[in-house]
Amino acid sequence: MSRFTIHDLAATIDARAASGGEASYTKKLLDKGAEHCAKKLGEEAVETVIAAIENNRAHLIAESADLIYHLLVLLKSRGLKLEDVEAALAQRTSMSGLEEKASRKRD
């Protein structure tokens, strides 16, 4: 049995972004632009927080899946890949979380 991964989801998003079909929700999101994708991500983040506060396991799982999907769509809309985020995470794991956060440049 094969296991579905976030990389599989990213590949599906890439494929649907390249499609010309009107039946793709992913394509419709991307066609509306990065700002729209960012707003959708924000909505899903709030819904995920609410599900966590409600302490409803099934709802939290479902909203978390939506959140991850919309994050990947936003990354795609800005020309970024999951691998870009993974590289940033890998770099951060070379020190403790508190050290890493303190080392970030302040704007």
Side-chain angles (χ1 to χ4, degrees):
M1 179 173 130
S2 66
R3 187 170 165 248
F4 185 82
T5 70
I6 294 175
H7 285 275
D8 295 330
L9 177 59
T12 298
I13 290 168
D14 287 344
R16 292 192 179 153
S19 74
E22 296 246 345
S24 170
Y25 177 63
T26 300
K27 180 77 170 144
K28 287 180 181 183
L29 285 172
L30 291 167
D31 286 348
K32 289 182 179 181
E35 292 80 9
H36 180 77
C37 294
K39 288 177 186 176
K40 288 298 295 178
L41 177 65
E43 291 170 16
E44 295 303 334
V46 170
E47 291 171 5
T48 303
V49 169
I50 291 168
I53 291 168
E54 291 173 345
N55 198 23
N56 180 322
R57 183 179 190 277
H59 190 205
L60 180 55
I61 290 169
E63 293 300 340
S64 295
D66 290 347
L67 181 63
I68 291 168
Y69 163 78
H70 281 89
L71 173 60
L72 293 176
V73 170
L74 176 60
L75 292 174
K76 176 74 177 172
S77 75
R78 289 296 189 198
L80 299 171
K81 295 184 176 288
L82 179 56
E83 291 82 0
D84 298 323
V85 177
E86 288 176 324
L89 289 169
Q91 186 175 22
R92 290 179 182 188
T93 61
S94 65
M95 60 183 83
S96 80
L98 294 175
E99 291 172 321
E100 186 280 325
K101 189 169 184 172
S103 73
R104 292 185 204 172
K105 294 179 184 174
R106 302 284 182 231
D107 291 333

